Structures are given as C-alpha cells and as structure tokens.
Amino acid sequence: METAIQALRPGYLKEGTPVQVLSNFFLFTPKHHSTSLQRYSISFIPEISFSLSRQRERILNKSRAQIIEHIGRFVFANTILFSAQTSSEFVVESLYENVIYKITIVPTGALTNPLEIKHFYNKFFNSVQSMLKLVMIGRKFYNPDRPVELPHHKMVIWPGYANSVGYYEEGCLLNVDISHRCLRTITVYDQIVDIKRRNPSDCKQMISKLLVGSTVLTLYNKKCYKVDEIDWDMSPSSSFEKEGISTDFKKYYTTRWGREIKYEDQPLLKCKLKNLICYLLPEFCVMTGLTDEIRSDFNVMKDLAQATKKEPKARLNESAGLIKTLQTFPKTRDEIKDWQLEISSDPISLTARVISAGNIIMGDNASFRINEAIGSFDRDIQRKMYTQPKLDRWGIFHCENDKKLVEQNLMTNLVQVMKTYCVACDKPATFIVASDKWGDWDRILRQSLNPSVKIIICVLPGSKGKCRLYDDLKRLTFSSFPVPTQVILNSTLKKDKGLRSVINKVVMQMNAKVGGIPWALDNLPFSNTVCMVIGIDIFTKRGSSGVLGFCATMDPHYARYGSFPKVINPGGDVFTRIQECTEQALQQFFNENRRFPKVIIVFRDGVSDSQRSSVLTDEVGAIKQAFTSLQGIVPNFEKPSLLYVVVNKRTNARFYCDNNGNTTNPPLGTIVDSKVVEKTGYDFYVMPAKANQGSMTPTHFHVVYDDSDLPCDNVEILAYKMCYSYYNWSGSIRVPAPCQYAHKLAYNYGERSDKNGPPQPHAHWTNSRALYFL
C-alpha cells in the first residue's frame, strides 16, 4: 500500500472580507530562551503497574521533599519526571500504607522534541490548576465551590475549564475555554430505589440501562469512574483481599474514608481501569453528565442552557479570568515564577476572512441569496423544489384510532403543502392497521409493499423518543422491503400550532427520499472540473457490530448521492470496507456521468486528534488502493487528485469580534487559517452555524492529505458552503452535508441493532440515488 504523506498548508485564504477577531488562545512561553527542561525516568521497588498512576503519584508525594533536594521543583508524569535542573542518578525511599518503596530516578537528557515539551507543559498546567483545589474530571477541571443549583431537577452544575497547551504558528499557546459538569444531587442508590419503586417487574434491566456506560463521581474523593457492569451478587458485606489481607467493603470504607455504610440492599458498581477492577458503592456515588431522558426534557434543557450558555463577552472574560487567578494566587504565581514561565493575559488577536454563502437555486431556475444574518431560509424555500419526481405510487399507513387525525389534520395540510411546492402527485392509498402492535403492522406492510412503491407515510403512536414501532419499521424497510418511509407521530398531528411548518419539512424530506433535490447551491468550488465529494462516518455501539456510513455525490451541484452502508463485524477490517465503497462510488459516478472524477474531496467525521495519523496511513491508503484496483480493471483510468479532510465539531477554540469593547460572535462564514493553526499542518476553523444562545462554536477542519496542488481557497470555501445543503434543515449546520448524511446513514443502521446486530442493508439501496435514510 502506498504511504500517504501529511498535507502541508499551500497558503492562506485570499477570498472574502477581512475581519479582526480575538481568540481564547494565550501566549505560554519561557521567560528565558536558555531555559532547558530535563527528563528523568522513574522506577519503583516493589514494582507498581503503569496503570496505577494515582497510586504512583501518592507514593511519590510522600518523598517529594527528598526529590526536590536533588532536582528542585518537578512535574510527575507517571513514568517520568520533568525538572529544570540537572542531576545524576539518585534513590529515595517512601513509606506508604506500611510498605517501604525504593524509588530510583535516572536522568535521560534534555527535552528537545516539541511533542515532549508540549506534554510537559500540559502536565505542568494541570498540576498548577490542581493547586486551586479544582477537581479534575476527565481532562477538564471543575470548581465544586461555585455550584449552580437546579433544585427542581435535583441537579447541580460545576463550572470549570477545558485547557490545552500546543505549538501553533504564533508559538506555544495555551487554549482556555469554559466548561460545565452536570451532577445529580441524589445518590446512585436513591436512583436505584426510585427505579425499583416505579418498575418493580423489570427493575434490573432499567437500572442497567441507566447506569452501564455512564460516569459517576465518588463523593469521598471526587474521582470519576465509568460504570462497566452492575454486580447484583455483591453487597457492602462482600469481602475482598487488599495487600493479602481479607476485609469487606463496610470495614474498608470506615477505615480508609471514614464513611459508614447505611444500606445493605445495594449492588456494587463494577469499573474496569485498564488491568484493574474496582467496585463502588451506589450510596457514595452521584451520576454526572446528561442521559437521553434528560436531553429529551425541554424544561431541564432550557434551565441547563440558561446556566451554561455564556454570551461571548462573559465567556472570553472567564477564559482570561483563569489566567489572572493563576497570576495572583500566591501558590500558583510562585510555581509559574519558579519554572521561569510566562502566560500572557491578553488573548491572541488575528485577521480572519468572511466568506459569502452565495445563492440557493430552486425549481424553474429561481434563486435567492442566503441571508447570513439569520442563517436559515425557511420561508424562501416554500416554492417548487430544484428537482422533484412525481409521487405516483405512495401510501399512508395508520392505526384505526388515528383515522380522524389523518383525514382532518394530515391530509388537509398535505394537500396545501403539495400545492405550495408544486409537487405532481396522485392521491395516496390509505391502509388502516387494526392496532398499535408490531405484528399487525408487519403483516399489512409485507402484504402492501413492493419495489414499485415510491414512499409510504406511517403515522405511528407515541411521542418523540418514545415510539415503540419506529425501530421495527426501519429494520424492515432497510433490510427486507426497500421502500422509503416517512414517520409522523400521532402526538405531532394533535398539535394545531406549528403543524403546517412540520408538514413543510415532511414534504421536503419525502422529496429527498424519493430521489429529488430540494435545493442546490450555486458557484461551488471545484465546479469547473469533474469532482466527487464524499462523507464518511462510523457508528459504534457497545456490544454490537459497527456500521460504516459512506455517501458520495454524483452530480456537478453535489446534491445527488450514492449511499453505501456497510456493517462492520467485531474485529472487521474498516479499511477494506472503505476501499469497497470507493470502488462502488467511482463505478456509479462513471455510469451516470460517462467519466470518472478528476478530484475527490473526503470529509471524514468522528476522528479524534490522536486518531488522525492512523486515518492518514490507513483510510487514505484504502482509497488510494481503490484507485490502483480500478487501474487494473478500467482501461485508461486516471487516478483523481485526493483531499482527505477530518472534521471535528468538538473543539475548545472560540473566536470573538471586539466592536469598541462590545464582544460579539463573528459573522457566519468567518474562516480562521492563521496564527492559532498548526505550525506544520494544514488546518482551519469555520464558523458555519449561528448560535441562537451564547457563543458560537467553530468547526475545526484538518486536511490530512492533499495531492491536488490547489490553493486552500477551494477546500475552505467548499467546507463552509456545503453546510447549507443538508435537507433535514433549511439553513446551515455545523458540518458539510456529506458528513452529516454519512453520520445519519451509519446511525440509522447502527442504532437499529438487535441481538443479531444491525440490519443488513438491502442491495437495492446501494443503487439508489435517494437519501432514503433521512
């Protein structure tokens, strides 16, 4: 397989209007360039596993004063120490829990590698923050002394910070953003008791659903653990061995933490920490984070948003406020001074550029300009769509109880909306299902569906997130009867307010599902050449097979898609699947255009920073291998140029405009590709979606591979403009549409997993040009 080389920045964006912005990045530099950092390896006798980093740190702290005599102040990083002083090898002893440990510290040279220096700075900054008595949860720090109480929801919010140090064009920078952590004010034991009271028959299943995979915080030491399993056979009276001595949990918590256990009737929470297993007591834990149940509660989310979504000025001030605190608090100020470091309190200022989103093209060549001030165009698209096939064989399925709702609410609005959008359609056939049991629905659907049916509307009983029949319906039509389905819940039809707007969106989705194009974008980059844009995402679910979502454009407007879902069995080869999808997409592109693309742009979602190198070597290699395979099959096949772009929505970078002291969000279409980007890479930030509340969150793009020799304007503008072509939303979203389609495709199959895994995609869908999974 050909080795892919990391892309380098070919220049800077030239198009657009310049705008000055502030960022939440701050200079983080040594005061004296001659300052060198030293590295020391560390070993313990008796030996302590690398996975027990907290225990290693506790033992080391017992001998901190002895170590400082040799090398001065130091930063501990599990297997190594960092210091600004040189020393020869030395040994210290530490007494911990009646065991004497011999600690050998050996110098291994000065830090010269930028990655090692970056690693030190991040460890150093973490250690400095811990001096402020902030609690580390994951990689973020939170302040339990400034809680925001939400008593009606039995929750509390801890404010905090997300920080990282890295090397950028501007130099070594500290990125500081604010963060919030939601915790329950009732214990996990209280939640278990409540579930048992409400669901006595299947309480164990409900408790497991709530807790397994969640994160809990222990009240006695403020540490976080991920729950892997609930051990129903264990209780506080269960015994275990610690350092060869048998004890039980009641004694352990009394002697180690001074806690008396009140309840005997509680199972234990099992957590796997690398090669170590620990057990937690529910009465000493509280859940953190948000569950699906909380996210679906409008009132809870509204109150959470008011507490956490800070306006731009407040957010930037809080970021800068952490640095001011570090510079004024005596202990942290002295630590920073002793290490001869300097942290600027002024945020980095830079010049960004604002790109116009351009025009939307509708049917009969009508068009309108996107209003970037509001970021959406609900009203503008209420006209004939760009392309819309005739609906000549379609139907509506509903329960007997919903007959009146369908006739009066659904059909009345459907007729009006079809006229507004000028949709040519026959009258739909209607099918009444005797009950809301899946057996009745399954029987009627199997009797009625055949490949000539364009689409069906299913009015299902239930409310959002609580529809029992939805998963069964999707499994059936994804794998056995490949007919597009549009689901409308009967609870939606019961609402008079906003129903017309809902039906507008339904008709638009239906058009996309049957192969139509609701709207197209004008003047897209690469339109002067033959180009294909691909979106890739992978859905994974605990205990089930993964699903690869692969969507590729087949037309000059990047509006018609070939969709290629692939189930990936546990331990399966993702890269082989990517190669297969690429070959299929290229063959279909040729079948429809009688030529192959000259340029391919891939937008890859769901990749963390640590995974980018494997994407470059493996996934880029898989696509290039597809090119090689086609060369052996297709005469005169020319390899297209390839740009492989990783899309990251989870970024702590923020950008602000300062208008005479009034800090605001930047305009939509603001692109940042200088100063706070990688020094040797090729990355940029785009502000693609409006923030209705609080501060705007940018999307971070990394071009990991580029052999096109094209200026960066092409891919940066394309990344922004394609955020306007996702047909589930009449406006801009945070990622390019192919990315979101790939995510939706993989999610729809993966989330429908049962004991047999995800539904196997029907062969018909591979040859379909419709976004049937929306």
Side-chain angles (χ1 to χ4, degrees):
M1 185 180 290
E2 184 180 339
T3 302
I5 300 173
Q6 166 70 46
L8 298 177
R9 186 181 309 283
Y12 300 92
L13 181 66
K14 295 179 180 178
E15 291 193 32
T17 306
V19 60
Q20 204 68 19
V21 298
L22 297 172
S23 67
N24 62 342
F25 289 81
F26 304 83
L27 277 171
F28 186 93
T29 53
K31 287 183 182 178
H32 307 294
H33 291 292
S34 60
T35 302
S36 62
L37 298 169
Q38 303 295 318
R39 185 200 316 105
Y40 296 84
S41 68
I42 180 168
S43 60
F44 294 81
I45 299 177
E47 190 174 335
I48 306 170
S49 170
F50 295 150
S51 64
L52 302 177
S53 59
R54 288 176 182 168
Q55 184 178 336
R56 283 171 153 248
E57 187 172 10
R58 284 194 289 266
I59 294 169
L60 193 74
N61 281 335
K62 295 281 186 180
S63 57
R64 176 171 285 272
Q66 300 174 57
I67 298 172
I68 287 176
E69 288 180 8
H70 289 270
I71 60 174
R73 291 181 183 267
F74 64 89
V75 170
F76 171 71
N78 197 19
T79 59
I80 55 176
L81 297 180
F82 297 110
S83 170
Q85 295 183 23
T86 58
S87 173
S88 57
E89 179 179 335
F90 63 98
V91 178
V92 297
E93 289 187 347
S94 176
L95 177 63
Y96 179 76
E97 294 189 347
N98 298 319
V99 178
I100 296 176
Y101 289 89
K102 184 180 288 186
I103 306 172
T104 304
I105 298 170
V106 180
T108 55
L111 267 66
T112 56
N113 186 316
L115 287 177
E116 282 191 318
I117 299 174
K118 172 184 169 181
H119 180 54
F120 158 72
Y121 281 146
N122 278 293
K123 283 289 182 183
F124 170 80
F125 199 74
N126 287 348
S127 69
V128 169
Q129 285 181 98
S130 64
M131 295 176 183
L132 298 175
K133 304 301 180 185
L134 300 179
V135 175
M136 191 175 188
I137 301 179
R139 296 181 180 179
K140 300 175 183 179
F141 284 84
Y142 296 93
N143 190 345
D145 298 329
R146 289 177 48 213
V148 179
E149 304 280 351
L150 297 176
H152 295 305
H153 308 304
K154 298 178 181 177
M155 291 182 187
V156 64
I157 298 169
W158 287 359
Y161 304 95
N163 318 299
S164 64
V165 179
Y167 281 97
Y168 303 88
E169 278 194 349
E170 189 71 358
C172 187
L173 303 180
L174 169 65
N175 173 237
V176 182
D177 191 30
I178 65 170
S179 179
H180 297 88
R181 191 74 182 188
C182 176
L183 299 95
R184 308 304 182 281
T185 53
I186 60 173
T187 67
V188 172
Y189 176 78
D190 294 329
Q191 291 181 281
I192 289 174
V193 170
D194 184 55
I195 292 174
K196 284 181 176 179
R197 178 181 57 80
R198 290 187 287 117
N199 304 277
S201 60
D202 60 345
C203 61
K204 286 188 177 181
Q205 183 179 351
M206 297 296 291
I207 292 167
S208 295
K209 186 177 180 182
L210 174 70
L211 295 177
V212 173
S214 69
T215 300
V216 297
L217 179 120
T218 47
L219 296 171
Y220 45 86
N221 64 349
K222 300 293 190 296
K223 301 295 183 184
C224 276
Y225 300 86
K226 185 177 180 181
V227 178
D228 292 289
E229 191 180 328
I230 299 175
D231 196 323
W232 299 98
D233 297 325
M234 295 185 74
S235 72
S237 298
S238 298
S239 60
F240 65 96
E241 279 197 6
K242 183 169 176 63
E243 297 175 358
I245 301 172
S246 179
T247 185
D248 60 39
F249 289 97
K250 294 179 76 171
K251 291 178 184 176
Y252 171 76
Y253 276 94
T254 301
T255 55
R256 178 69 177 87
W257 299 107
R259 297 260 175 167
E260 294 293 334
I261 294 172
K262 296 180 182 178
Y263 309 107
E264 282 287 344
D265 63 331
Q266 55 182 316
L268 300 190
L269 309 179
K270 187 176 181 180
C271 307
K272 298 173 184 175
L273 308 174
K274 295 182 181 177
N275 62 343
L276 182 73
I277 293 176
C278 74
Y279 291 91
L280 307 176
L281 268 73
E283 75 172 276
F284 297 147
C285 299
V286 292
M287 284 186 69
T288 79
L290 302 180
T291 62
D292 291 338
E293 184 179 359
I294 291 174
R295 288 189 176 92
S296 64
D297 189 318
F298 174 79
N299 291 324
V300 177
M301 295 307 292
K302 180 182 177 183
D303 292 344
L304 283 173
Q306 288 178 344
T308 60
K309 291 187 180 296
K310 303 286 186 179
E311 293 302 313
K313 187 170 185 176
R315 193 177 193 104
L316 182 58
N317 286 344
E318 286 197 34
S319 294
L322 173 63
I323 295 171
K324 291 176 183 175
T325 300
L326 295 173
Q327 292 170 337
T328 55
F329 184 64
K331 198 171 183 181
T332 55
R333 181 191 61 207
D334 293 344
E335 186 77 5
I336 293 170
K337 182 180 178 182
D338 287 347
W339 281 90
Q340 296 188 318
L341 295 170
E342 187 171 17
I343 308 175
S344 170
S345 56
D346 297 322
I348 296 291
S349 176
L350 55 92
T351 301
R353 302 192 80 84
V354 182
I355 298 299
S356 169
N359 295 336
I360 295 288
I361 309 170
M362 301 298 295
D364 298 329
N365 289 320
S367 67
F368 61 87
R369 188 166 187 79
I370 297 171
N371 184 347
E372 280 126 336
I374 60 174
S376 63
F377 37 81
D378 266 333
R379 294 186 180 277
D380 298 305
I381 56 173
Q382 292 181 25
R383 60 181 88 181
K384 186 176 181 180
M385 289 176 273
Y386 185 70
T387 67
Q388 43 192 43
K390 182 180 179 180
L391 288 180
D392 51 4
R393 285 184 62 82
W394 63 300
I396 299 176
F397 291 74
H398 62 85
C399 291
E400 177 74 44
N401 295 341
D402 294 325
K403 183 177 180 182
K404 188 175 179 181
L405 273 177
V406 170
E407 290 176 349
Q408 295 183 0
N409 293 17
L410 176 59
M411 288 306 300
T412 301
N413 281 283
L414 260 180
V415 169
Q416 293 173 352
V417 174
M418 291 293 189
K419 287 181 180 177
T420 300
Y421 287 98
C422 306
V423 177
C425 65
D426 296 339
K427 186 177 179 180
T430 56
F431 302 85
I432 298 176
V433 186
S435 73
D436 62 357
K437 295 178 180 177
W438 174 245
D440 292 333
W441 278 82
D442 184 74
R443 185 173 57 257
I444 288 186
L445 287 167
R446 289 178 184 273
Q447 290 171 357
S448 311
L449 299 183
N450 63 69
S452 68
V453 176
K454 289 282 182 67
I455 193 170
I456 58 172
I457 295 177
C458 295
V459 179
L460 301 184
S463 55
K464 187 177 180 181
K466 298 177 181 178
C467 176
R468 294 181 293 103
L469 301 176
Y470 187 83
D471 286 348
D472 290 316
L473 174 67
K474 291 299 182 183
R475 270 194 291 266
L476 178 71
T477 55
F478 282 172
S479 59
S480 302
F481 292 90
V483 174
T485 58
Q486 180 66 47
V487 171
I488 304 176
L489 299 176
N490 62 3
S491 59
T492 303
L493 294 179
K494 292 174 184 176
K495 299 174 183 176
D496 292 331
K497 186 178 179 181
L499 182 56
R500 174 64 187 272
S501 177
V502 170
I503 302 302
N504 283 342
K505 292 179 172 61
V506 163
V507 169
M508 195 163 293
Q509 282 186 28
M510 287 170 60
N511 184 46
K513 288 179 178 181
V514 299
I517 300 173
W519 67 81
L521 300 168
D522 75 341
N523 295 325
L524 286 167
F526 303 102
S527 58
N528 58 348
T529 186
V530 186
C531 178
M532 172 192 282
V533 184
I534 296 171
I536 297 178
D537 194 16
I538 297 173
F539 177 90
T540 55
K541 188 175 184 179
R542 180 189 288 262
S544 181
S545 301
V547 179
L548 170 68
F550 188 106
C551 295
T553 62
M554 297 287 161
D555 71 315
H557 287 289
Y558 316 141
R560 292 190 68 208
Y561 287 84
S563 305
F564 308 90
K566 301 283 184 183
V567 175
I568 306 166
N569 295 321
D573 189 352
V574 174
F575 317 116
T576 300
R577 292 282 182 257
I578 290 176
Q579 180 182 335
E580 290 173 5
C581 290
T582 304
E583 292 175 16
Q584 288 178 318
L586 284 168
Q587 289 282 13
Q588 291 198 8
F589 190 97
F590 180 82
N591 293 341
E592 296 186 25
N593 299 279
R594 307 315 304 165
R595 52 185 175 175
F596 288 102
K598 298 292 184 184
V599 177
I600 292 178
I601 300 102
V602 177
F603 289 111
R604 170 67 158 96
D605 201 0
V607 174
S608 66
D609 289 346
S610 61
Q611 294 172 317
R612 286 209 310 272
S613 59
S614 65
V615 166
L616 175 63
T617 55
D618 298 327
E619 295 187 13
V620 171
I623 289 183
K624 293 177 78 67
Q625 187 61 43
F627 298 163
T628 302
S629 296
L630 283 173
Q631 277 186 316
I633 301 170
V634 180
N636 302 319
F637 173 80
E638 294 184 11
K639 290 184 180 181
S641 299
L642 175 65
L643 290 94
Y644 207 97
V645 187
V646 168
V647 183
N648 188 0
K649 300 188 295 295
R650 296 182 179 181
T651 175
N652 295 322
R654 296 292 185 273
F655 300 97
Y656 312 93
C657 284
D658 184 14
N659 300 314
N660 299 320
N662 181 27
T663 307
T664 62
N665 283 316
L668 277 182
T670 299
I671 296 179
V672 172
D673 66 354
S674 64
K675 285 195 174 183
V676 297
V677 295
E678 291 182 355
K679 192 171 184 178
T680 58
Y682 181 3
D683 63 314
F684 57 94
Y685 295 91
V686 177
M687 270 54 79
K690 187 176 175 61
N692 295 320
Q693 186 178 5
S695 303
M696 186 183 290
T697 303
T699 302
H700 197 183
F701 294 83
H702 288 267
V703 183
V704 296
Y705 183 81
D706 176 15
D707 61 6
S708 69
D709 294 326
L710 292 168
C712 64
D713 294 52
N714 294 273
V715 70
E716 293 184 18
I717 294 172
L718 182 72
Y720 170 53
K721 284 195 168 189
M722 291 209 74
C723 293
Y724 285 90
S725 57
Y726 181 60
Y727 300 132
N728 255 3
W729 175 252
S730 48
S732 60
I733 60 173
R734 288 193 55 210
V735 297
C739 230
Q740 188 66 11
Y741 289 134
H743 167 76
K744 191 83 173 178
L745 177 64
Y747 175 86
N748 265 310
Y749 277 89
E751 191 62 20
R752 307 285 91 78
S753 292
D754 57 16
K755 62 182 180 181
N756 299 315
Q760 291 293 329
H762 193 283
H764 167 83
W765 293 128
T766 299
N767 298 315
S768 170
R769 292 288 76 71
L771 298 167
Y772 65 94
F773 49 86
L774 281 187

